[in-house]
Amino acid sequence: MSLFNVAKFGGTSVANFEAMSRCAAIIENNPNTKLVVSSACSGVTNLLVELANGVVCEQERTKIIEKLADIHQAILAKLESATESAVEVQKILDTVTRLAEAASIQESTKLTDHLVACGELMSTHLLAQVMRERGINTVRFDIRQVLRTDNSFGKAEPDVEQTALLAHEKLIPLCQEFVVVTQGFIGSDEQGNTTTLGRGGSDYSAALIAEAVKAEGLEIWTDVPGIYTTDPRIAEKASPIPEISFSEASEMANFGAKILHPSTLVPALRHDIPVFVGSSKEPEKGGTWIRHQVQSSPLFRALALRCNQTMVTLRSAKMFHAYGFLAKVFEILAKHKVSVDLITTSEISVSLTLDQTDTAGGAPELPAAARQELEELCTVEIEQNLCLVALIGNNMSESRGYAKKVFGTLEDLNLRMLCFGASPHNLCFLVHESVARHAIQKLHQELFEV
Ligand code: ADP
Ligand code: ASP
Ligand code: MG
């Protein structure tokens, strides 16, 4: 049993009964699909995050739990045989109630993960039943038995070896008999605590599971027919890309294209698993193939936008012609576990952006203790409300003339922290969030709509 396909369905793809039925049709259509990875129903994780943040007023909590119940109840109401699924969903809602109350007294990242995992635990009961009722021989599987992670709650790191071992023991035998439906986004640590891979993590789960079972293909079904030249919600004329390389798509995901969780392509690349991205609403429209080898490598491939950036600028006259300054800065950052994303330097200053660590996607903060230590060395300036614009392409560091076009197009904007030339695949810069969409729209018009 080595040739099979893993299909992942995102939140909008499993938003209601009709959407779940479309997923079932897609699954039926590919007899190689033996494993289905599902997100929570659309909107559910946001409600669970709200509860996990601690809703003190009991009435408010009840309102949110009722909303959760309604979303799942609407699907249960359309099933032919709902009794068993209804019991299971109710058990999970009872857990949500209990954990939400605990979170209102004292939040913890461990509790948050247990609570937000409940969305995927519920949706998979329903999707499995929808599939059974269409005659697909389906079993639901709790992925926490297989997807082993460390205990960094909120952004857990997978243990790839352990996951592969457990998948061989527990998951692959099931796939020989059934189409297995399981949860994206969640896993468990060695002690059996529930963990999550970070918001949008179901894509990453699907790729990790595909790697663990040595799948021959991975399909990511979402609400758009493939990866576009930029987010179609920002630029109306964005167009789908039929084929894209792993490195280009990884750059897009890393630079914030929400269509794929940033880590998704790491396992797929490790095992050279081709990835397809398509729309579960309009599967007939085709989609994007992400492959190792592609037919064309255009200079400009796509534009990505990542908001909620925090820029830290460190200034010191001592930096001028001195050595060891940057080493000290990074020693302090490493000591306080601050992960740096982009960096630019000049004679007496260095600017850097902080990596996103917040599960809820807010702007990352420089810890007060790190700031204090840095201030003994230099002045520290922090700016927020910034967005990172990235132009992704090929052989960019060897091409001439295009920077003039890019900067000429945006000459009326204040561009910050230009990163250009270090990678052949991208050029990126920060802009104030109030002009970020405008920057993407103008660049798209100039570089992709001609
Ligand atoms: P899912 O719930 O299926 O995981 P997401 O909302 O996480 O779906 O991702 C799909 C969304 O990603 C699209 O609706 C689109 O707005 C956004 N997106 C951002 N960049 C791109 C891009 N380059 N191509 C297509 N969609 C993109
Ligand atoms: N349900 C999770 C979220 O909303 C994971 C996912 O959908 O990928 O972030
Ligand atoms: Mg997503």
Side-chain angles (χ1 to χ4, degrees):
M1 168 65 127
S2 63
L3 298 183
F4 66 83
N5 184 54
V6 174
K8 177 257 171 179
F9 295 92
T12 44
S13 300
V14 293
N16 50 44
F17 177 80
E18 290 70 27
M20 283 191 177
S21 303
R22 284 193 292 269
C23 299
I26 289 170
I27 295 159
E28 271 173 333
N29 230 346
N30 185 349
N32 285 336
T33 301
K34 285 280 158 198
L35 242 165
V36 173
V37 177
S38 176
S39 290
C41 303
S42 184
V44 165
T45 311
N46 287 348
L47 292 171
L48 292 169
V49 168
E50 228 179 297
L51 290 173
N53 288 343
V55 178
V56 181
C57 167
E58 195 185 339
Q59 266 178 332
E60 282 297 313
R61 281 205 307 275
T62 309
K63 251 195 222 159
I64 297 174
I65 293 164
E66 275 169 8
K67 275 193 207 163
L68 287 168
D70 287 349
I71 295 172
H72 299 94
Q73 188 53 46
I75 302 172
L76 284 165
K78 296 203 172 162
L79 291 173
E80 282 162 24
S81 165
T83 324
E84 242 175 78
S85 315
V87 170
E88 295 301 335
V89 168
Q90 190 51 52
K91 275 193 219 158
I92 300 167
L93 283 172
D94 292 344
T95 305
V96 169
T97 309
R98 187 170 50 78
L99 296 175
E101 192 186 343
S104 73
I105 300 161
Q106 181 155 34
E107 299 166 46
S108 86
T109 52
K110 183 168 153 185
L111 197 154
T112 296
D113 271 9
H114 194 178
L115 189 46
V116 298
C118 290
E120 273 71 8
L121 291 171
M122 287 191 277
S123 67
T124 43
H125 274 296
L126 300 172
L127 180 59
Q129 186 59 20
V130 169
M131 287 165 60
R132 278 185 212 111
E133 293 188 4
R134 286 181 69 106
I136 305 173
N137 191 20
T138 310
V139 69
R140 174 185 177 275
F141 181 80
D142 189 329
I143 203 64
R144 291 175 296 181
Q145 291 184 46
V146 161
L147 211 155
R148 195 57 74 247
T149 70
D150 67 6
N151 63 359
S152 315
F153 298 106
K155 209 178 185 184
E157 276 299 320
D159 179 336
V160 173
E161 265 173 43
Q162 198 56 28
T163 301
L165 279 176
L166 291 166
H168 278 258
E169 190 189 315
K170 299 182 179 182
L171 197 51
I172 295 181
L174 267 186
C175 291
Q176 267 153 352
E177 206 181 325
F178 298 98
V179 176
V180 178
V181 174
T182 195
Q183 304 80 27
F185 183 49
I186 73 172
S188 74
D189 70 5
E190 236 176 283
Q191 275 73 46
N193 298 306
T194 301
T195 56
T196 66
L197 303 178
R199 291 305 302 268
S202 292
D203 302 324
Y204 188 25
S205 293
L208 288 165
I209 296 165
E211 179 184 36
V213 301
K214 299 194 169 63
E216 64 163 354
L218 169 61
E219 295 170 359
I220 306 267
W221 294 98
T222 179
D223 60 355
V224 280
I227 300 180
Y228 279 54
T229 46
T230 194
D231 189 337
R233 288 188 211 184
I234 300 179
E236 236 177 63
K237 291 195 177 152
S239 51
I241 303 167
E243 194 188 49
I244 188 169
S245 69
F246 274 115
S247 36
E248 292 168 306
S250 299
E251 293 267 344
M252 286 184 75
N254 278 327
F255 281 113
K258 195 186 167 222
I259 183 104
L260 289 177
H261 179 278
S263 307
T264 310
L265 296 174
V266 177
L269 185 58
R270 265 194 306 250
H271 271 83
D272 201 5
I273 305 168
V275 180
F276 173 81
V277 181
S279 161
S280 64
K281 234 182 195 165
E282 303 170 298
E284 68 288 350
K285 281 201 171 166
T288 302
W289 278 102
I290 309 171
R291 295 194 174 100
H292 222 80
Q293 296 289 337
V294 291
Q295 300 278 324
S296 73
S297 300
L299 179 61
F300 303 135
R301 180 61 97 180
L303 289 161
L305 182 64
R306 188 168 71 200
C307 286
N308 282 323
Q309 299 298 289
T310 301
M311 178 166 88
V312 179
T313 301
L314 308 170
R315 274 196 193 86
S316 169
K318 286 186 214 147
M319 204 174 151
F320 189 63
H321 284 172
Y323 50 84
F325 177 81
L326 284 180
K328 277 190 203 134
V329 165
F330 282 98
E331 197 184 301
I332 296 169
L333 294 173
K335 185 174 142 196
H336 294 279
K337 296 199 164 79
V338 177
S339 167
V340 170
D341 189 26
L342 297 176
I343 173 160
T344 57
T345 58
S346 73
E347 280 293 4
I348 59 153
S349 69
V350 47
S351 290
L352 40 94
T353 58
L354 304 182
D355 246 352
Q356 199 80 44
T357 47
D358 183 356
T359 320
E365 302 276 344
L366 181 68
R371 181 173 188 154
Q372 209 174 355
E373 265 191 66
L374 286 168
E375 276 171 344
E376 286 167 21
L377 199 68
C378 54
T379 63
V380 179
E381 199 182 303
I382 296 180
E383 285 176 74
Q384 290 188 324
N385 307 321
L386 294 165
C387 297
L388 180 69
V389 173
L391 171 61
I392 291 129
N394 295 283
N395 301 317
M396 293 171 76
S397 44
E398 283 135 50
S399 305
R400 291 182 207 163
Y402 77 91
K404 187 175 161 198
K405 198 168 176 184
V406 170
F407 300 131
T409 305
L410 302 176
E411 65 185 355
D412 53 336
L413 301 184
N414 180 16
L415 310 185
R416 317 283 307 276
M417 241 192 109
L418 295 166
C419 295
F420 172 40
S423 159
H425 287 298
N426 71 65
L427 175 163
C428 54
F429 51 84
L430 295 174
V431 288
H432 192 268
E433 64 184 12
S434 58
V435 294
R437 288 174 71 89
H438 171 69
I440 293 277
Q441 285 156 354
K442 273 197 94 175
L443 275 179
H444 194 270
Q445 201 175 20
E446 194 58 35
L447 306 177
F448 293 88
E449 294 172 28
V450 281

